[in-house]
Amino acid sequence: MSVSRRSVLLAGAGAAALGAGPFPAVAAASGTRTRQGPGFVRRDVAKLVDPRTGAWDPALYWYAKAVGWMKKRKPEEWNSWLFQAYTHGKDQPASGDPTEWRQCPHNSPYFLPWHRWYLYWFERIVRHVIVVELRRPEQANWALPYWNYAHVEPGGEEAAAPWRRVPAAFRQKQLPGGHEENPLYLTPGVPTGRCRDEEPLAWDQVSPDKAMRFPHFGWDEADADPRPGFSPTLEKWPHGLVHDGVGGLMGKISRSAQDPVFWLHHANIDRMWYAWLSRGHTLPPGWEWPEVRPPHKGYEGPGLPFRFRDEKGVQHDLTGPVFAFPRDAYTYDSLDDGTGTGEAAGAVPLPARPADADVVASADGELRLDDAPSTVRCVARSGREDALESALERGSVVLTVHGVRAEEPPCRVYRLFVGHDTGRAESTDPSGPAFVADLVFFGAVGEQLGVHHGDGHTLRFDVTETLRAVRDAGDWAGGVPDVRIVPGPGRLHRDARPRFSRVTFAVT
């Protein structure tokens, strides 16, 4: 098949560099609706289903119909469901695979900008299917919805539960009217479906506050390792945790884009990025898209750039400035709702080990996680028994959990705490002083894909303030504190085997 191709050099007319601030199509004052250009507005999916009657907004209904149309196409056809999903990831490479497949750049500086382009081309393809193939010209302004799972309700978590659940339209077996199967529906409780149905995600799984508190993007041009910052933190908290929480197809990189809710999840992650930019933050200058995209583990493949197809099947290679993007491509109906409370719980993530970190205590040996709480007791190195207490006065303490991985999506959240379990509620409260973070498995499930290490995730945290808090609360009396893993919401998948290999404390 002959394929047209062009490079996407995003500069000048029709494009806008984002280094100086938010994407120009988004209103400077967050939370306002702005229709510029063609008026493609991404809306909260919760507002697209009538809570009283269950009726769907046409934009949601025709998304479902387009997904059904695309699922009937052969995988090698550029506008098929699997072609688009395999562009993100695919379990096994094969000779003759299209050059667009298996290119998602997780754990890299390109995570956010690549996924922005991925959604952009997918959105155009779906819009074309709706308007042309399904003959709905009135949907010419169709745009992807987003899943606003971090929405906050005045009534607390119970009141916010409808936003935390997989969106209602994705849990119905049939389309409105009851005469057609719903292409958005996946069977709960199976690897090819989703982990959950009615059960909502928890606030600690969906909150973007860990990432939103950073003033820096977290990557600079040609950095081998990230710095503490917005992008590497958002990629795990909440991006990875939501993948883990939905589970099933969504829980594994190579399959996640096969779930129709994937696209709404990533629209929300993209919205959080816009919200972060709208608050006065900037992007590092000088980045260019690489001539050869990073290879996936186990599959080097030919030296290819990042590449997509548009609604007409034309190939587009990403070249030029990384943070340039077409003007007026779309906007969001809100940049305030569900984009953080400003009160981040837990410790500060550290994507890379500080250069001067000195390991003073450790616990080696694999720990398999299950439905019961676990306690890890690290042993201090000889002569370093008081090193952690000293670091609280004139340095910092870094807690690292090594080799976090699973064979299948665990479907259960595992919360990490430091200090002794006193039996008080705050000892296991994810908003309490002992909480560090939730463990993230997405990207470390089964066969590794992308730029991931084969031994799983390494999760690091600056726990200096956390240890001060548990010391002041009387939950740590010196020496080396307990490290506790407490199962949270969800039902553990029987074949998941979640585990980690080592825990260390270091001081700087």
Side-chain angles (χ1 to χ4, degrees):
M1 178 177 63
S2 175
V3 178
S4 299
R5 180 180 303 149
R6 72 180 183 89
S7 294
V8 182
L9 180 59
L10 296 168
L18 299 180
F23 174 39
V26 176
S30 61
T32 61
R33 172 173 291 192
T34 300
R35 289 184 178 270
Q36 298 187 24
F40 303 131
V41 181
R42 294 180 178 176
R43 294 182 287 163
D44 181 349
V45 69
K47 300 175 182 178
L48 302 185
V49 176
D50 190 309
R52 297 167 300 164
T53 66
W56 292 17
D57 186 277
L60 183 58
Y61 177 82
W62 289 109
Y63 174 56
K65 294 290 285 185
V67 170
W69 186 92
M70 294 171 72
K71 285 184 174 182
K72 294 176 183 178
R73 311 285 288 179
K74 295 179 180 179
E76 62 271 17
E77 296 182 75
W78 53 268
N79 55 2
S80 73
W81 187 252
L82 285 181
F83 188 104
Q84 292 302 308
Y86 290 164
T87 297
H88 187 267
K90 181 173 179 278
D91 279 329
Q92 296 294 334
S95 60
D97 278 353
T99 57
E100 292 85 358
W101 289 3
R102 292 174 58 95
Q103 60 173 301
C104 61
H106 285 268
N107 283 5
S108 89
Y110 306 111
F111 167 71
L112 285 173
W114 182 89
H115 280 84
R116 174 168 286 172
W117 277 107
Y118 186 38
L119 264 66
Y120 170 74
W121 294 119
F122 174 80
E123 185 174 60
R124 285 178 52 158
I125 289 169
V126 172
R127 185 183 301 129
H128 186 266
V129 169
I130 293 172
V131 173
V132 176
E133 303 296 343
L134 301 179
R135 301 180 180 180
R136 307 302 303 186
E138 76 279 4
Q139 291 295 314
N141 280 0
W142 183 88
L144 270 171
Y146 60 89
W147 178 15
N148 187 17
Y149 37 71
H151 170 81
V152 175
E153 278 285 297
E157 279 301 277
E158 185 175 348
W163 280 266
R164 307 274 194 272
R165 295 187 182 102
V166 171
F170 293 72
R171 292 183 279 113
Q172 296 178 206
K173 290 186 177 181
Q174 294 183 312
L175 291 174
H179 303 298
E180 296 180 76
E181 290 186 359
N182 179 8
L184 306 181
Y185 175 81
L186 293 178
T187 304
V190 299
T192 56
R194 302 184 184 113
C195 288
R196 62 189 61 229
D197 187 20
E198 289 286 337
E199 185 180 25
L201 296 167
W203 171 248
D204 47 301
Q205 292 176 283
V206 302
S207 169
D209 285 311
K210 276 187 181 295
M212 286 291 185
R213 64 182 166 187
F214 283 106
H216 306 294
F217 188 69
W219 297 90
D220 280 329
E221 185 181 11
D223 266 1
D225 293 305
R227 299 178 302 161
F230 173 76
S231 176
T233 305
L234 188 76
E235 183 172 354
K236 287 185 169 63
W237 300 279
H239 165 260
L241 287 177
V242 172
H243 274 281
D244 287 341
V246 176
L249 291 176
M250 272 277 281
K252 192 174 182 181
I253 286 179
S254 57
R255 302 173 186 171
S256 58
Q258 295 180 47
D259 186 337
V261 84
F262 167 95
W263 307 92
L264 280 70
H265 170 37
H266 270 276
N268 199 41
I269 293 297
D270 183 73
R271 185 176 73 99
M272 290 174 178
W273 185 17
Y274 277 127
W276 180 80
L277 283 170
S278 75
R279 295 167 191 178
H281 304 309
T282 59
L283 296 166
W287 284 15
E288 299 280 327
W289 289 104
E291 294 183 6
V292 177
R293 67 194 187 218
H296 287 168
K297 184 175 179 62
Y299 174 60
E300 297 300 322
L304 296 169
F306 288 116
R307 175 173 292 170
F308 299 99
R309 299 282 187 98
D310 67 15
E311 68 275 16
K312 296 182 180 179
V314 176
Q315 286 180 334
H316 296 262
D317 294 344
L318 295 185
T319 63
V322 167
F323 295 117
F325 198 75
R327 293 184 188 275
D328 306 331
Y330 56 86
T331 187
Y332 289 100
D333 61 359
S334 173
L335 294 183
D336 286 333
D337 186 12
T339 57
T341 65
E343 299 179 2
V348 177
L350 299 174
R353 177 178 175 176
D356 57 347
D358 178 22
V359 174
V360 298
S362 64
D364 298 318
E366 182 175 281
L367 178 65
R368 191 79 57 85
L369 304 175
D370 52 29
D371 292 324
S374 303
T375 299
V376 177
R377 292 185 170 89
C378 295
V379 177
R381 293 186 174 179
S382 178
R384 308 306 303 275
E385 291 82 1
D386 299 325
L388 298 183
E389 296 169 84
S390 299
L392 297 190
E393 307 306 323
R394 56 179 182 273
S396 61
V397 179
V398 177
L399 169 64
T400 305
V401 183
H402 305 258
V404 178
R405 66 169 302 161
E407 295 307 308
E408 292 290 342
C411 302
R412 185 158 204 172
V413 62
Y414 287 93
R415 293 165 171 160
L416 183 66
F417 297 86
V418 293
H420 307 308
D421 185 355
T422 63
R424 301 194 307 270
E426 55 263 34
S427 291
T428 55
D429 185 349
S431 63
F435 179 64
V436 176
D438 293 335
L439 299 182
V440 180
F441 293 89
F442 185 68
V445 174
E447 178 194 358
Q448 297 300 292
L449 177 68
V451 288
H452 305 285
H453 300 293
D455 58 355
H457 288 318
T458 299
L459 304 180
R460 297 182 181 88
F461 308 93
D462 183 335
V463 293
T464 311
E465 293 302 323
T466 308
L467 287 179
R468 287 175 180 154
V470 296
R471 180 189 60 186
D472 294 345
D475 297 345
W476 174 48
V480 181
D482 287 345
V483 175
R484 295 179 288 113
I485 300 89
V486 179
R491 187 176 303 168
L492 179 62
H493 189 286
R494 63 182 181 182
D495 299 321
R497 294 177 58 209
R499 59 201 188 272
F500 55 81
S501 59
R502 188 173 186 237
V503 176
T504 60
F505 281 101
V507 298
T508 62

